[in-house]
Amino acid sequence: MRIMSRNSSDMVYHRPECRYAGKIRKKNRIKMEWEDAEWKGYRPCKCCDGIEFLYKLEKDRIERYAGQSNMNVDLKDKKVYVRTDVGCWKIIYKIREQSFILLHRNYVNGRVCLEDVEKAPFHRQGDIPEAGSIMKYLKYIKEHDEFKQNAPKDYRKLPQNTERQKLYYRMAKKREEKRSAKRLDGLFLMIEKQEGIKQLSCC
Ligand SMILES: [Zn+2]
Ligand SMILES: [Zn+2]
């Protein structure tokens, strides 16, 4: 929900938490969804539509959660970087869509320092949609890490209780199928080269 003034000429809309929204008199207040406001020609307020403002809104919860979960969470160059023992994450705010997206990269040698976060490329994390809050991503990251650390080598032993677990199960299954297809290809190559099928084994 966004707030704007009935009789202002600047055609700007605010989040309810913005100090400028607080200054609009009650009788002049209009409320609507941001998509409708955009459609009517309003533009987002520069004060309350940036990642800094949104980070501040959730700051207490973010810091508490980061502390409990052994995460480093930093706001740097208008991006939020999350570093855990398992991977490095980047949260970007897309003003045009008014939502965050999540990018990810794995480490080679354990947790990197903040100065080095951009030294390797990130990929868009595919199994989580755009979100309206940073906290939502932190919770996802924690779940992702726990899964990665505890995942059994055999995908058939993976739990399948939640929707996400089911998704991971399917992904792991696909990966395994790909791997065995590759193994099979390799096997055939070997057989063609060496003749005989003595080395065939079930893998
Ligand atoms: Zn504002
Ligand atoms: Zn990833």
mmCIF file of all heavy atoms in Angstrom, residues 89 104-106 123-126 144, ligand 2:
data_model
loop_
_atom_site.group_PDB
_atom_site.id
_atom_site.type_symbol
_atom_site.label_atom_id
_atom_site.label_comp_id
_atom_site.label_asym_id
_atom_site.label_seq_id
_atom_site.Cartn_x
_atom_site.Cartn_y
_atom_site.Cartn_z
ATOM 1 N N TRP A 89 25.808 -14.279 -0.784
ATOM 2 C CA TRP A 89 24.547 -13.890 -1.401
ATOM 3 C C TRP A 89 24.494 -12.393 -1.596
ATOM 4 O O TRP A 89 25.088 -11.643 -0.824
ATOM 5 C CB TRP A 89 23.379 -14.309 -0.503
ATOM 6 C CG TRP A 89 23.385 -15.754 -0.177
ATOM 7 C CD1 TRP A 89 24.130 -16.372 0.787
ATOM 8 C CD2 TRP A 89 22.631 -16.790 -0.820
ATOM 9 N NE1 TRP A 89 23.874 -17.725 0.792
ATOM 10 C CE2 TRP A 89 22.963 -18.010 -0.175
ATOM 11 C CE3 TRP A 89 21.699 -16.801 -1.865
ATOM 12 C CZ2 TRP A 89 22.400 -19.222 -0.551
ATOM 13 C CZ3 TRP A 89 21.140 -18.006 -2.237
ATOM 14 C CH2 TRP A 89 21.491 -19.205 -1.584
ATOM 15 N N HIS A 104 23.454 -15.477 -5.932
ATOM 16 C CA HIS A 104 24.189 -16.419 -5.099
ATOM 17 C C HIS A 104 25.504 -16.815 -5.743
ATOM 18 O O HIS A 104 25.607 -16.850 -6.958
ATOM 19 C CB HIS A 104 23.296 -17.667 -4.921
ATOM 20 C CG HIS A 104 23.952 -18.805 -4.229
ATOM 21 N ND1 HIS A 104 23.870 -20.098 -4.685
ATOM 22 C CD2 HIS A 104 24.697 -18.845 -3.106
ATOM 23 C CE1 HIS A 104 24.518 -20.889 -3.858
ATOM 24 N NE2 HIS A 104 25.045 -20.163 -2.890
ATOM 25 N N ARG A 105 26.481 -17.079 -4.907
ATOM 26 C CA ARG A 105 27.676 -17.751 -5.423
ATOM 27 C C ARG A 105 28.259 -18.634 -4.326
ATOM 28 O O ARG A 105 28.113 -18.352 -3.137
ATOM 29 C CB ARG A 105 28.714 -16.759 -5.924
ATOM 30 C CG ARG A 105 29.525 -16.030 -4.873
ATOM 31 C CD ARG A 105 30.606 -15.251 -5.608
ATOM 32 N NE ARG A 105 31.353 -14.345 -4.767
ATOM 33 C CZ ARG A 105 32.483 -14.680 -4.150
ATOM 34 N NH1 ARG A 105 32.939 -15.913 -4.215
ATOM 35 N NH2 ARG A 105 33.138 -13.774 -3.442
ATOM 36 N N ASN A 106 28.878 -19.710 -4.731
ATOM 37 C CA ASN A 106 29.497 -20.626 -3.774
ATOM 38 C C ASN A 106 30.952 -20.232 -3.577
ATOM 39 O O ASN A 106 31.540 -19.554 -4.399
ATOM 40 C CB ASN A 106 29.388 -22.059 -4.278
ATOM 41 C CG ASN A 106 27.959 -22.559 -4.226
ATOM 42 O OD1 ASN A 106 27.356 -22.611 -3.160
ATOM 43 N ND2 ASN A 106 27.404 -22.885 -5.388
ATOM 44 N N HIS A 123 25.197 -15.918 -9.526
ATOM 45 C CA HIS A 123 24.115 -16.340 -10.416
ATOM 46 C C HIS A 123 22.792 -16.030 -9.742
ATOM 47 O O HIS A 123 22.714 -15.946 -8.519
ATOM 48 C CB HIS A 123 24.215 -17.831 -10.758
ATOM 49 C CG HIS A 123 24.190 -18.711 -9.554
ATOM 50 N ND1 HIS A 123 25.321 -19.214 -8.974
ATOM 51 C CD2 HIS A 123 23.159 -19.159 -8.793
ATOM 52 C CE1 HIS A 123 25.005 -19.935 -7.927
ATOM 53 N NE2 HIS A 123 23.681 -19.918 -7.778
ATOM 54 N N ARG A 124 21.768 -15.844 -10.528
ATOM 55 C CA ARG A 124 20.442 -15.603 -9.975
ATOM 56 C C ARG A 124 19.950 -16.889 -9.338
ATOM 57 O O ARG A 124 19.966 -17.942 -9.979
ATOM 58 C CB ARG A 124 19.494 -15.151 -11.102
ATOM 59 C CG ARG A 124 18.053 -15.012 -10.722
ATOM 60 C CD ARG A 124 17.792 -13.632 -10.150
ATOM 61 N NE ARG A 124 16.411 -13.521 -9.718
ATOM 62 C CZ ARG A 124 15.454 -12.926 -10.410
ATOM 63 N NH1 ARG A 124 15.742 -12.370 -11.562
ATOM 64 N NH2 ARG A 124 14.227 -12.865 -9.940
ATOM 65 N N GLN A 125 19.539 -16.828 -8.094
ATOM 66 C CA GLN A 125 19.069 -18.030 -7.413
ATOM 67 C C GLN A 125 17.682 -18.380 -7.942
ATOM 68 O O GLN A 125 16.742 -17.604 -7.792
ATOM 69 C CB GLN A 125 19.058 -17.805 -5.898
ATOM 70 C CG GLN A 125 18.837 -19.056 -5.093
ATOM 71 C CD GLN A 125 20.002 -20.047 -5.206
ATOM 72 O OE1 GLN A 125 21.066 -19.727 -5.722
ATOM 73 N NE2 GLN A 125 19.784 -21.258 -4.749
ATOM 74 N N GLY A 126 17.564 -19.538 -8.556
ATOM 75 C CA GLY A 126 16.373 -19.830 -9.342
ATOM 76 C C GLY A 126 15.155 -20.295 -8.584
ATOM 77 O O GLY A 126 14.033 -20.132 -9.051
ATOM 78 N N HIS A 144 18.460 -22.966 2.929
ATOM 79 C CA HIS A 144 19.308 -23.432 1.840
ATOM 80 C C HIS A 144 20.622 -24.001 2.389
ATOM 81 O O HIS A 144 21.065 -25.074 1.998
ATOM 82 C CB HIS A 144 19.574 -22.256 0.900
ATOM 83 C CG HIS A 144 20.531 -22.549 -0.208
ATOM 84 N ND1 HIS A 144 21.893 -22.493 -0.035
ATOM 85 C CD2 HIS A 144 20.332 -22.899 -1.499
ATOM 86 C CE1 HIS A 144 22.482 -22.799 -1.180
ATOM 87 N NE2 HIS A 144 21.564 -23.046 -2.080
HETATM 88 ZN ZN ZN B 2 22.798 -20.860 -6.207
#
